[in-house]
Amino acid sequence: MEDIRENELTVKRSKTDFMSVFKFVICSLIGIFSFFVTFTYNEKSSILLDHIVSWISTNAATFVTVYIIIMLVCGAAYPFITKTWNKDIVNIVMSVFKVIGLGIGLLLISGIGPDWLFDPSVGPFLMEKLIKPVGVLIPIGAIFLALLVSYGLLEFIGVFMQPIMRPIFRTPGRSAVDAVASFVGSYSVGLLLTNRVFKQGKYTIREAAIIATGFSTVSVTFMVVVANTLDLMAYWTSFFWVSLIVTFMVTAITARIWPLGKLKDEYIVEQGDPEVIVTEKRLLTAWTEAMQAVKHNPPFLKNLLQHLKEGLLMTMSVLPSILSIGLLGLILAMYTPIFDWVAYIFVPFTWILQLPEPMLTAKALAVSIAEIFLPALLVVKATVITKFIVAVVSISAILFFSAVIPVIISTDIPLTIRQLIIIWFQRVVLTLILVTPIAFLLF
């Protein structure tokens, strides 16, 4: 009898081990393909997620419009339903902006409103280039995200990336997947991933803040848009690699200075899940960590639905904020002299670095906090050096009010708007200092 029981246990254990390996391999491969592999479909080269979003936007335009209206209504109502709107001053302000965002969205969709709102570079730009793509991308990305983060890949790669990520960026090795997903895929998906891992207790407050503000830049697809706008496609390879390297160099610096360097190195859950520091037998340890992660996950379908729910909640929170705050930033940049005044903060840097058009460059840097595409529009007719520098700064600055900042505020990462503005300023200045000599060498 004992032999029979032992054989049964062995069979059960082998089945469990086989299923764990199967889930790890298949789910990780699908996740990697979804986020990191580019291929051409309908004459467009991008990753799977972007192709899915484009297909839905093209073939189900009416559905997307109705879905966006529902998300805007739910997003504006949610803080009042959950009674969190008056929790603190930030929640009060953001709740007001969400209600305003709902109003703006209804005006744009219904076609009713003032002429300035329907200027192609204002309302339609926000709706078609930001609201609809981001609204569709976040929940779909959340589903594929479950495959990327829940079945051992983070733990497996994290063991090997510890010697790189910890000394350079002060983040766990597992954040390497997060960094690449953010840079190659999308800031919204990257921040969704960061927030998910943070809530699981795998990032501390400081680590999550470094990742959110240091890696969650615009996608490669949008980099192509910027390069096309500025006629830099002839220098695409240089633009891409310089943007990537400079962005990560700036992140390594900001991770060590205030305010990021002084954030609490604590978990928001009672018992965090810190990464085990590995110094030997990396392959064996990586495999063991991956299998443990697979075994401790909820059932497959339940896991996907949980990620979808979180994606929809983030979409509700983000869309009305992007509309209202983004519109405010665009209006201030286009119709007021505020950013002309802010530009004077950067003039000493552009003058000391001997840039060919110091005032124009300074204004382009100033408007980057409002909307990531605005700097490119300001320097379309500038010299190639100015275009290159402004383009790289636009990517490396990361933080802007029309999208990324509202997304970060909607996560559980405790960063204030004041801290985000300070980090934006640091990133702009550091990027300018690093990219200027490179631009002069190239051109």
Side-chain angles (χ1 to χ4, degrees):
M1 286 294 291
E2 288 183 4
D3 290 340
I4 294 173
R5 286 177 181 175
E6 285 182 6
N7 288 333
E8 288 177 349
L9 287 172
T10 302
V11 170
K12 286 181 180 179
R13 192 178 297 114
S14 63
K15 284 182 178 179
T16 302
D17 291 343
F18 172 77
M19 286 306 298
S20 296
V21 173
F22 180 80
K23 288 179 180 178
F24 168 68
V25 173
I26 300 301
C27 293
S28 296
L29 286 176
I30 295 173
I32 290 169
F33 179 77
S34 304
F35 286 91
F36 304 130
V37 178
T38 59
F39 62 96
T40 302
Y41 177 75
N42 280 347
E43 300 182 352
K44 177 184 178 182
S45 179
S46 190
I47 59 174
L48 176 63
L49 282 178
D50 189 41
H51 285 308
I52 293 174
V53 172
S54 297
W55 187 89
I56 292 174
S57 299
T58 302
N59 295 282
T62 303
F63 167 79
V64 170
T65 300
V66 173
Y67 160 74
I68 293 297
I69 293 173
I70 293 172
M71 288 294 101
L72 288 172
V73 171
C74 292
Y78 191 73
F80 299 96
I81 294 173
T82 57
K83 298 180 180 179
T84 58
W85 70 273
N86 60 350
K87 184 178 178 181
D88 51 46
I89 187 64
V90 172
N91 275 280
I92 292 173
V93 172
M94 292 303 296
S95 298
V96 171
F97 271 118
K98 286 174 183 178
V99 173
I100 295 171
L102 168 62
I104 295 167
L106 293 176
L107 289 177
L108 287 171
I109 291 171
S110 64
I112 300 171
D115 291 340
W116 60 264
L117 181 62
F118 290 91
D119 184 304
S121 59
V122 182
F125 169 78
L126 284 172
M127 182 60 71
E128 301 300 326
K129 300 297 182 182
L130 288 174
I131 299 301
K132 288 183 178 179
V134 168
V136 176
L137 178 64
I138 291 179
I140 294 175
I143 296 173
F144 285 97
L145 206 57
L147 306 179
L148 193 69
V149 304
S150 300
Y151 296 96
L153 184 65
L154 278 181
E155 288 73 14
F156 187 79
I157 292 180
V159 172
F160 293 101
M161 292 301 294
Q162 278 182 6
I164 297 173
M165 301 303 291
R166 284 196 175 278
I168 298 176
F169 303 110
R170 303 179 75 192
T171 60
R174 57 174 65 128
S175 65
V177 176
D178 202 334
V180 177
S182 302
F183 199 92
V184 175
S186 162
Y187 62 84
S188 53
V189 172
L191 287 167
L192 185 68
L193 169 56
T194 305
N195 194 51
R196 174 69 174 169
V197 178
F198 176 57
K199 288 167 64 178
Q200 290 175 344
K202 295 180 180 179
Y203 292 152
T204 64
I205 292 172
R206 188 179 68 197
E207 290 166 351
I210 291 170
I211 296 163
T213 61
F215 299 122
S216 302
T217 188
V218 294
S219 65
V220 175
T221 306
F222 195 81
M223 290 176 67
V224 174
V225 174
V226 173
N228 270 319
T229 303
L230 297 177
D231 292 325
L232 292 174
M233 284 308 293
Y235 315 103
W236 167 251
T237 303
S238 298
F239 172 52
F240 174 81
W241 286 109
V242 170
S243 297
L244 176 68
I245 293 168
V246 168
T247 298
F248 285 5
M249 287 175 66
V250 170
T251 299
I253 298 171
T254 57
R256 288 165 168 78
I257 60 178
W258 180 84
L260 286 177
K262 297 299 182 182
L263 292 176
K264 293 179 180 178
D265 202 23
E266 301 173 353
Y267 298 94
I268 60 166
V269 294
E270 288 185 8
Q271 290 183 333
D273 183 18
E275 199 171 57
V276 178
I277 305 299
V278 181
T279 56
E280 57 183 17
K281 296 182 179 179
R282 287 191 181 277
L283 181 58
L284 177 61
T285 305
W287 184 257
T288 304
E289 289 280 320
M291 291 302 101
Q292 288 297 318
V294 175
K295 290 175 183 177
H296 287 89
N297 268 304
F300 183 75
L301 185 59
K302 183 179 179 181
N303 193 24
L304 293 186
L305 290 174
Q306 178 63 32
H307 274 76
L308 176 61
K309 178 184 175 182
E310 291 183 7
L312 288 171
L313 285 173
M314 177 171 275
T315 304
M316 286 164 40
S317 177
V318 166
L319 291 193
S321 303
I322 292 177
L323 254 183
S324 55
I325 297 175
L327 180 64
L328 177 61
L330 289 174
I331 291 171
L332 291 176
M334 296 174 68
Y335 300 111
T336 74
I338 288 178
F339 287 106
D340 291 303
W341 303 335
V342 177
Y344 284 105
I345 299 173
F346 297 106
V347 168
F349 299 100
T350 58
W351 181 79
I352 291 171
L353 292 168
Q354 295 293 292
L355 298 185
E357 295 153 298
M359 191 62 207
L360 177 64
T361 305
K363 183 174 181 180
L365 302 182
V367 300
S368 68
I369 196 169
E371 162 52 43
I372 199 69
F373 197 57
L374 284 178
L377 296 178
L378 290 182
V379 298
V380 168
K381 298 180 180 179
T383 62
V384 68
I385 289 179
T386 300
K387 289 179 180 180
F388 188 85
I389 291 171
V390 169
V392 173
V393 171
S394 296
I395 306 305
S396 180
I398 292 181
L399 302 169
F400 55 98
F401 272 106
S402 70
V404 174
I405 290 177
V407 176
I408 292 176
I409 293 296
S410 71
T411 67
D412 296 275
I413 304 168
L415 282 167
T416 66
I417 291 177
R418 174 174 168 268
Q419 289 172 325
L420 291 171
I421 292 173
I422 292 168
I423 296 166
W424 162 78
F425 176 77
Q426 292 172 340
R427 294 195 66 88
V428 169
V429 172
L430 289 169
T431 303
L432 184 65
I433 293 170
L434 291 173
V435 76
T436 297
I438 298 174
F440 276 108
L441 284 174
L442 290 174
F443 304 104

